[in-house]
Amino acid sequence: MIVYATGKAVEIALMENGKLTEIHKQKATDNFTVGDVFWGKIKRINAPLNAAFVDIGHKKDAFLHYTDLGPKVRTLQKWASLASNGRLKAKGIDNFRPEKEIVKTGRIDQVFERRQNILAQVLKEPISTKGPRLSCEITLPGRFLVITPFSDVVAVSKKISTSEERKRLKLIVDSIRPKNFGVIVRTAAEGRNTAELLEEVNNLVGKWNTIKEQLKTGKPPIKLLSEIDKTSSLLRDLLTDNFNRIVIDDKDLYERVKNYLQGIAPDKVRLLQLHKSNRPIFDVCGVTKQIKS
């Protein structure tokens, strides 16, 4: 992984055996990143589109379509409303009484009304004249697992090599997941033990509790939980034993990534290098030439 940080953007190149396979770019001003969780306010409901436009602080209202509400949307919004009013008694969500699920063919004006406060997550970043796209199916991703509040589904990545390993991971996750949280087991979980997976579950539930605490004091529109920067999120999603080098040309970003790696994969910190040459990192590593071609 080659990370080129200029003042206005961060560009990340993934190389395999010297060949460029992926390129990612994040502007320094991206305040609405995929995965960010917001407490917003519905500005208007558009019945023909079966969608709502939500104020989350972007210059253009965010777009929320009925198909992105998720079946448990009423339960999620009731929980968020109680949390924001300080009327949520229980610490966790294990015994939170669920509301009736919505049907796939319903209408958004049966679920939400104008000026209603709403808990939602950015599904797509804003593009040119469009605001961000939202979802009410909240997912909190870690390196090995993704947790989904108010769900009972346990899914295991099909990319995990053997059915025995998939069964083993499903058994572990079934035994450690908190009640009312669904879990998706990622490919990186292959070979991990119960203690490692439990630690991540606890970290992710901690993030969920952060949302609850923020709701108590936040007035919409407000960001409740921020997704990590692009470099760290790519490392979280892609870091495997196949990585042999991560080179970064910015000292501050290098330190941030180093701290992040120490938290999620201390054995990988040794792969991290700071590029100190005056020549641009993409030129030295042959990325510029490959982008042009």
Side-chain angles (χ1 to χ4, degrees):
M1 182 183 277
I2 319 291
V3 184
Y4 171 44
T6 66
K8 294 178 182 173
V10 174
E11 288 185 71
I12 300 151
L14 297 180
M15 311 272 284
E16 283 180 29
N17 302 318
K19 191 178 176 189
L20 180 66
T21 56
E22 287 181 41
I23 189 103
H24 298 262
K25 189 170 184 175
Q26 183 182 39
K27 290 178 186 163
T29 54
D30 281 357
N31 294 324
F32 300 87
T33 308
V34 170
D36 287 348
V37 178
F38 283 87
W39 185 226
K41 189 181 281 287
I42 293 180
K43 293 291 281 293
R44 60 194 169 95
I45 287 173
N46 185 314
L49 283 177
N50 205 9
F53 289 88
V54 184
D55 178 14
I56 61 168
H58 191 265
K59 58 182 183 288
K60 291 276 182 185
D61 289 338
F63 180 80
L64 173 65
H65 193 268
Y66 185 86
T67 52
D68 292 320
L69 297 185
K72 305 285 179 76
V73 61
R74 286 196 177 105
T75 305
L76 176 76
Q77 301 308 333
K78 182 184 175 185
W79 176 89
S81 177
L82 290 172
S84 74
N85 296 333
R87 286 165 45 213
L88 209 55
K89 303 285 187 285
K91 192 182 174 196
I93 61 169
D94 359 357
N95 298 313
F96 191 79
R97 189 186 291 172
E99 295 293 298
K100 193 178 175 187
E101 290 189 10
I102 64 168
V103 293
K104 281 184 179 176
T105 53
R107 297 198 324 269
I108 201 155
D109 53 11
Q110 296 169 328
V111 182
F112 289 123
E113 54 194 43
R114 192 170 165 268
R115 304 201 63 73
Q116 184 176 340
N117 293 343
I118 177 173
L119 182 68
Q121 188 168 31
V122 176
L123 194 62
K124 274 189 183 171
E125 290 168 8
I127 305 168
S128 67
T129 58
K130 291 183 177 179
R133 182 162 180 164
L134 301 178
S135 167
C136 287
E137 291 194 274
I138 308 292
T139 57
L140 303 175
R143 188 175 168 214
F144 308 128
L145 308 168
V146 178
I147 68 165
T148 53
F150 302 110
S151 166
D152 291 318
V153 176
V154 175
V156 182
S157 166
K158 298 237 177 356
K159 289 182 184 173
I160 289 172
S161 53
T162 64
S163 58
E164 285 77 17
E165 178 63 358
R166 289 196 291 275
K167 278 180 196 164
R168 183 187 77 87
L169 288 165
K170 190 172 187 310
L171 276 171
I172 291 174
V173 168
D174 273 328
S175 68
I176 62 172
R177 76 179 176 92
K179 193 179 165 194
N180 251 343
F181 281 100
V183 179
I184 299 161
V185 182
R186 308 181 78 153
T187 314
E190 191 164 359
R192 301 292 162 181
N193 61 38
T194 308
E196 288 172 296
L197 298 177
L198 180 59
E199 184 183 1
E200 184 150 284
V201 165
N202 291 337
N203 285 342
L204 295 173
V205 171
K207 283 188 177 185
W208 176 249
N209 291 332
T210 301
I211 292 173
K212 179 185 161 189
E213 291 307 310
Q214 296 276 70
L215 276 167
K216 283 182 189 173
T217 53
K219 294 277 183 288
I222 182 175
K223 188 190 287 189
L224 301 173
L225 189 73
S226 188
E227 179 54 289
I228 53 181
D229 64 65
K230 196 79 160 181
T231 314
S232 301
S233 69
L234 279 172
L235 281 171
R236 178 195 65 204
D237 296 347
L238 300 171
L239 190 62
T240 63
D241 293 336
N242 299 333
F243 266 77
N244 56 18
R245 209 154 61 105
I246 302 159
V247 195
I248 301 176
D249 71 347
D250 178 86
K251 194 155 192 335
D252 289 344
L253 186 57
Y254 170 85
E255 291 298 337
R256 286 209 303 276
V257 171
K258 187 177 176 183
N259 289 336
Y260 178 69
L261 279 177
Q262 278 166 341
I264 68 154
D267 56 317
K268 302 293 183 200
V269 175
R270 60 187 170 76
L271 305 181
L272 208 53
Q273 294 174 17
L274 180 63
H275 176 78
K276 293 176 180 173
S277 162
N278 290 329
R279 276 185 71 207
I281 189 169
F282 272 13
D283 291 359
V284 172
C285 299
V287 179
T288 311
K289 195 175 173 183
Q290 291 191 57
I291 291 173
K292 282 177 181 173
S293 67

